[in-house]
Amino acid sequence: MEALEGVRVDVLGRKGTLGQFSKEFGKLAPQERAAAGKALNAAKDALESAFEARKHSFDTEALNARLGSEWIDLTLPAPGARPGSLHPVTQVQMELEDLFTSLGFAVLDGPEVETEYHNFDALNIPASHPARDMQDTFWLTDSNLLRTHTSPVQVRGMERLGPPLRMIAPGRVFRNEEVDASHEHTFYQVEGMMVDRNVSVAHMLYFMKTLLSAIFRREVTIRLRPGYFPFVEPGFELDIQCLICGGPGCPVCKQSGWVELMPCGLVHPNVLRMSGIDPDEWGGFAFGLGLTRLAMMRYGIDDIRLFESGDLRFLRQF
Ligand code: 2NL
């Protein structure tokens, strides 16, 4: 293309070969000029159209070369969006919701910003209790707080539904923790409760065993130890026999053969009364279960901080 343009300038340009001919016109006899002018114009026209024709064929060639090299197949299917997946805690939560629904429990939800009454007072938690301290709870400036457990959802459930009732309250809870591999300021739990006539520790044990066997997909051996929680009386720590070693002791159960899994107990009469349920007529059992901890056991996750990290390399594994 460049060489062609060079030739055009040499021949047809203002100082080109054809131009030189016109300058010689003066030397011609007057009767020769018309014929010479005609011949010169004809030559100029012929050269110009030869030039245009060549330029056009070069252009076409260049375009074809581009079309050949830049060709893409628009009929190929697009790569498509990468499918998402449910957070591991959500998966465990949904599984437990299905299980409890099948046992006749309602699944309740409630606010994450709670009143001091619903989070503490209604649960028989005294003003002197360490959980009410600034170091353990995120207090808001309007004297409300970020719920430290999902118990307030159950308090609201008792107020609203009345006895008899079966309910679970799964959800996100907050503690003012120093964060490390096993402590988070934000984590998930399920609490559950059944209130009816003549509810005993035997009913509680039946539901807990059914629940744990379903979660771990095998028979589990459990034991009860006494435990203190202000909202239950009597209160227990429920342990399961270690599923890794089956009893003799290993690093998971810290050589004890047992893993502490579920605090539980019979609902304290004060708690029932404050929510409008007569403890002389009705009784109930209640329990707490760490969803985050359960997900860590289920999937072998050794650092709790991964759950809230938003790290897609972690999340895409589920
Ligand atoms: C925990 C939770 C437990 C409950 C929670 C409960 C709720 C109401 C009344 C009575 Cl409204 N109890 N929840 C009961 C027993 C244990 O544990 O995270 N403990 C460390």
Side-chain angles (χ1 to χ4, degrees), residues 123 151 154-155 158 189 191 193 229 231-232 263-265 267 271 286-288:
L123 286 153
S151 313
Q154 304 199 82
V155 171
M158 286 189 284
Q189 64 160 196
E191 283 198 20
M193 175 190 280
F229 309 99
F231 27 85
V232 288
C264 54
V267 183
V271 171
F287 60 90

Side-chain angles (χ1 to χ4, degrees), residues 5 22 31 56 67 84 97 102 133 185-186 188 193 197 213 225 236 247-248 253:
E5 179 60 14
S22 2
Q31 67 274 25
H56 181 74
L67 289 175
E97 287 177 3
S102 78
D133 202 271
H185 49 70
T186 301
Y188 292 78
M193 175 190 280
R197 292 186 173 87
S213 297
R225 287 176 294 126
F236 305 98
C253 59

Side-chain angles (χ1 to χ4, degrees), residues 2 5 16 19 50 79-80 135 149 176 181 190 219 225 244 246 248 258 297 306 315:
E2 259 171 49
E5 179 60 14
Q135 270 67 52
H149 42 199
N176 195 351
V190 190
E219 276 295 307
R225 287 176 294 126
I244 305 299
W258 297 91
M297 289 171 74
L306 288 164
L315 294 171

